[in-house]
């Protein structure tokens, strides 16, 4: 299998975690005999410094000509004073829009070897496995008009627009129902239909679309109740389908089930080119010190192999390699709970442990097939 991947390390811890994801992808190339072509380009603050824009034309062109994009993180306190449309984050939002992936898949899983990392009790999170399907190109993030009115006579004011059309809701709902078929066949649609018109439309459309998926159970929750139930009883969720901002918030909350935001991966699919990124941000406070957890980025690489390349076996083997390394007691500092029996490793040590574990898993598989 040949794949052309544009790599956007971005800001903060982005470059460190992406380096480890690439190490694992290169191991996959070698072990499973694939050919991946990597093309690295700047995005976010790094691109503002190099090219004066958070999403330079050359970066976007390279992304549009590839099979998939793997991004680290964007955002830097250096640019906090800039207007929203000039900040590093604008580069990411424009990239998402240009690539067209409207369905953002964010798995939040309780991994047995790191269950103690969650502040939630083991008997609450054990076996929890949620897939958040976040609508990524609509709602408040992109709604027009939007404005910050600084010089208004009666003091400053600002507004954003939350707008959804039926078609935008329908296409992401279909992704959620299809994903549910690969899982436990349950979709919880999350909205605020007791207050918002956009949510009333959301509920209406999701209910209509669900008729095409009679084998999937659908229920609805208000977002505030969902935030609570996710912590009280995460096991009751399978696929959570929601709009852009609610999904942004709920996916960070869901990280508490896993125990660290550094573990979470995401895929943005449905558009011209799929985009993969860890959920954690640029974490400027720990950047460049080998403290970042690369497992979110490595899991994002596994999602890339699964969704864009249909390399299910390779994706599963990476996930198994990660579990093997965690079971052996290796942890990055975000997973350090001061308990004994763990070795605290750097970002690159974690990457090489996963690559080594993968090599063993692959060797076993090929040895088995040879007999
Ligand atoms: C995320 C991030 C982004 C978002 C930011 C960096 C623009 O929080 O991917 O969840 O809000 O979508
Ligand atoms: Mg977020």
């Amino acid at each position: 299998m040949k794949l052309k991947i544009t790599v956007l390390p971005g800001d903060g811890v982005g470059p460190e975690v992406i380096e480890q994801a690439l190490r694992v992808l290169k191991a996959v190339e070698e072990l499973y005999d694939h050919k991946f072509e990597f093309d690295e380009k700047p995005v976010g603050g790094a691109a503002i410094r190099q090219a004066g824009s958070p999403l330079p034309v050359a970066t976007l062109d390279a992304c549009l000509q590839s099979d998939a994009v793997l991004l680290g993180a964007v955002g830097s306190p250096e640019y906090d004073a800039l207007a929203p449309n000039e900040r590093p984050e604008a580069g990411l939002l424009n990239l998402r829009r240009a690539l067209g992936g409207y369905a953002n898949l964010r798995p939040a899983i309780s991994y047995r070897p790191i269950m103690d990392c969650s502040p939630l009790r083991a008997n609450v999170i054990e076996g929890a496995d949620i897939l958040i399907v976040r609508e990524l190109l609509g709602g408040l993030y992109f709604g027009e008009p939007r404005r910050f009115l600084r010089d208004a006579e009666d003091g400053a004011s600002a507004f954003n627009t939350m707008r959804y059309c039926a078609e935008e809701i329908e296409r992401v709902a279909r992704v959620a129902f299809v994903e549910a078929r690969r899982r436990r066949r349950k979709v919880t649609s999350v909205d605020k239909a007791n207050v918002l018109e956009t949510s009333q439309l959301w509920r209406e459309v999701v209910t209509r679309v669900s008729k095409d998926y009679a084998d999937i159970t659908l229920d609805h929750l208000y977002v505030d109740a969902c935030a609570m139930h996710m912590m009280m009883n995460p096991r009751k969720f399978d696929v959570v389908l929601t709009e852009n901002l609610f999904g942004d918030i709920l996916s960070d909350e869901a990280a508490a089930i896993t125990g660290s935001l550094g573990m979470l991966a995401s895929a943005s699919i449905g558009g011209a080119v799929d985009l993969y990124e860890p959920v954690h941000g640029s974490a400027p406070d720990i950047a460049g010190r080998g403290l970042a957890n690369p497992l979110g980025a490595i899991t994002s690489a596994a999602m890339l192999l699964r969704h864009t390349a249909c390399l299910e076996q390779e994706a599963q083997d990476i996930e198994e390699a990660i579990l093997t390394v965690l079971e052996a007691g290796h942890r990055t500092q975000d997973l350090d709970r001061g308990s004994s029996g763990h070795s605290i490793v750097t970002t690159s040590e974690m990457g090489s442990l996963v690559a080594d574990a993968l090599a063993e898993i692959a060797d076993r598989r090929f040895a088995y097939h040879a007999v």
Side-chain angles (χ1 to χ4, degrees), residues 8-19:
L8 310 177
D11 303 323
V13 297
E16 298 164 68
V17 297
I18 286 300
E19 197 184 324

Side-chain angles (χ1 to χ4, degrees), residues 41-342:
K41 289 279 184 290
V43 74
I48 297 179
R49 276 189 300 279
Q50 280 179 45
S53 149
L55 181 62
V57 175
T59 297
L60 180 58
D61 281 350
C63 292
L64 286 169
Q65 282 159 31
S66 53
D67 297 305
V69 177
L70 182 62
L71 181 140
V74 299
S76 162
E78 222 177 304
Y79 302 108
D80 274 354
L82 294 182
N85 64 348
E86 293 168 4
R87 294 170 60 104
E89 288 84 350
L92 175 59
L93 296 179
N94 288 333
L95 177 66
R96 285 176 179 168
R97 179 157 50 185
L99 299 185
Y102 51 82
N104 182 223
L105 313 185
R106 298 189 161 191
I109 300 167
S110 167
Y111 298 105
R112 186 172 292 279
I114 57 165
M115 260 168 43
D116 65 300
C117 293
S118 172
L120 300 170
R121 280 202 305 273
N123 65 345
V124 172
I125 54 171
E126 188 174 9
D129 179 350
I130 303 176
L131 177 66
I132 296 180
V133 178
R134 166 187 178 192
E135 198 294 320
L136 201 60
L137 299 181
L140 285 167
Y141 276 65
F142 294 97
E144 295 285 350
R146 53 189 296 159
R147 201 139 315 142
F148 199 131
L149 302 158
R150 281 193 190 282
D151 311 316
E153 251 169 43
D154 44 356
S157 71
F159 62 89
N160 292 89
T161 301
M162 187 164 189
R163 190 192 300 274
Y164 269 104
C165 68
E167 196 258 325
E168 286 174 291
I169 301 168
E170 173 164 348
R171 63 184 186 176
V172 71
R174 290 195 184 279
V175 172
F177 286 114
V178 168
E179 287 297 318
R181 280 202 170 132
R182 307 214 247 176
R183 301 169 50 93
R184 302 189 305 282
R185 293 178 185 259
K186 183 176 170 192
V187 171
T188 302
S189 175
V190 176
D191 60 40
K192 189 72 185 169
N194 50 346
V195 176
L196 303 175
E197 282 78 3
T198 43
S199 282
Q200 285 164 352
L201 178 65
W202 185 275
R203 201 173 270 223
E204 202 176 288
V205 173
V206 172
T207 304
R208 169 168 57 75
V209 170
S210 75
K211 308 279 186 265
D212 293 343
Y213 305 85
D215 53 321
I216 309 291
T217 310
L218 170 69
D219 61 6
H220 303 271
L221 268 183
Y222 296 140
V223 61
D224 48 354
C226 177
M228 186 267 293
H229 287 298
M230 225 176 218
M231 297 294 99
M232 299 292 273
N233 189 5
R235 268 194 304 269
K236 107 187 192 95
F237 295 97
D238 180 15
V239 174
V240 171
L241 165 65
T242 192
E243 68 88 40
N244 205 345
L245 183 65
F246 297 163
D248 177 47
I249 298 167
L250 291 175
S251 58
D252 268 30
E253 189 198 18
I257 296 164
T258 307
S260 169
L261 195 54
M263 295 293 298
L264 269 57
S266 85
S268 303
I269 61 171
V273 181
D274 300 333
L275 168 66
Y276 298 86
E277 39 174 328
V279 175
H280 64 71
S282 55
D285 51 323
I286 60 162
R289 292 159 55 199
L291 296 174
N293 185 345
L295 296 180
I298 295 173
T299 308
S300 300
M303 292 184 88
L304 185 161
L305 297 180
R306 171 173 292 126
H307 290 279
T308 297
C310 294
L311 297 175
E312 179 61 33
Q313 189 66 69
E314 286 81 342
Q316 274 181 28
D317 287 355
I318 294 176
E319 287 159 356
E320 190 185 326
I322 291 173
L323 274 179
T324 309
V325 170
L326 293 174
E327 257 154 28
H330 303 294
R331 296 182 168 195
T332 40
Q333 58 83 36
D334 56 311
L335 303 172
D336 183 8
R337 294 296 177 273
S339 40
S340 60
H342 299 133

